[in-house]
Amino acid sequence: MKKISLLFGAFLTLIILSCEGPTGPPGPPGFDGLNGEDGINILGQVLEIEGTFDAGNNYSLFYEFPQTVEVFESDVVLVYILWDVAEDGNGEPLDIWRLLPQTRILNQGLLQYNYDFTFLDVSVFLESDFDLGTLSPGDTDNQVFRIAIVPAEFAQSAKMDTSNIGEVMSSLNITEANISRIQL
């Protein structure tokens, strides 16, 4: 009797587990996040700093993230330089941004705008194979940089062109109005 009950229970379990109904309709479209899961909170941020490189600051601009800006050790920090300003078809100014590092070939030699960062701060600095004191004010004065803080989960899963600040801002859902501007 025990064998029949055990056999009947196993048979019933097999039938229940193998039952499958028809496939339902697809759900509403959503935003696919990490591993296809929705609901991941992206807290990216873009800041803009402006400063002048000189011998007094060792040709570097140092910016410490305030407590209102949360940066994790695993986040990606990208820095862009305002390379030029052109005009669009309507005569409006159009900013041209380039991802650092950027190298310029000058009469004196090679000049590179570069950066490094921690989760506490970012440093933008000049490197060259000549005396930086010979640079013209156009290369050192009132330089504008955008710092994009991209959460690690998003940076690994997103299919964005990080060399294009417009695409990075769009992916992070950040507009010009959301950018904090800091004069160093």
Side-chain angles (χ1 to χ4, degrees), residues 146-163:
R146 286 214 173 147
I147 303 166
I149 302 161
V150 182
E153 301 89 22
F154 187 70
Q156 292 171 355
S157 67
K159 294 179 177 118
M160 68 177 162
D161 178 9
T162 56
S163 68

Side-chain angles (χ1 to χ4, degrees), residues 79-81 83 98-102 113-115 124-125 145:
V79 178
Y80 302 83
I81 184 172
W83 196 256
R98 289 188 178 180
L99 179 63
L100 294 187
Q102 284 295 316
Y113 295 87
N114 207 342
Y115 76 104
V124 181
F125 51 90
F145 299 91

Side-chain angles (χ1 to χ4, degrees), residues 72-95:
F72 296 100
E73 287 187 62
S74 59
D75 288 347
V76 176
V77 175
L78 304 170
V79 178
Y80 302 83
I81 184 172
L82 179 60
W83 196 256
D84 200 1
V85 178
E87 286 186 8
D88 66 7
N90 299 324
E92 297 291 321
L94 181 66
D95 293 341

Side-chain angles (χ1 to χ4, degrees), residues 11 112 152 170 175 179 181:
F11 182 74
Q112 185 174 61
S170 176
T175 64
I179 297 174
R181 290 173 171 79

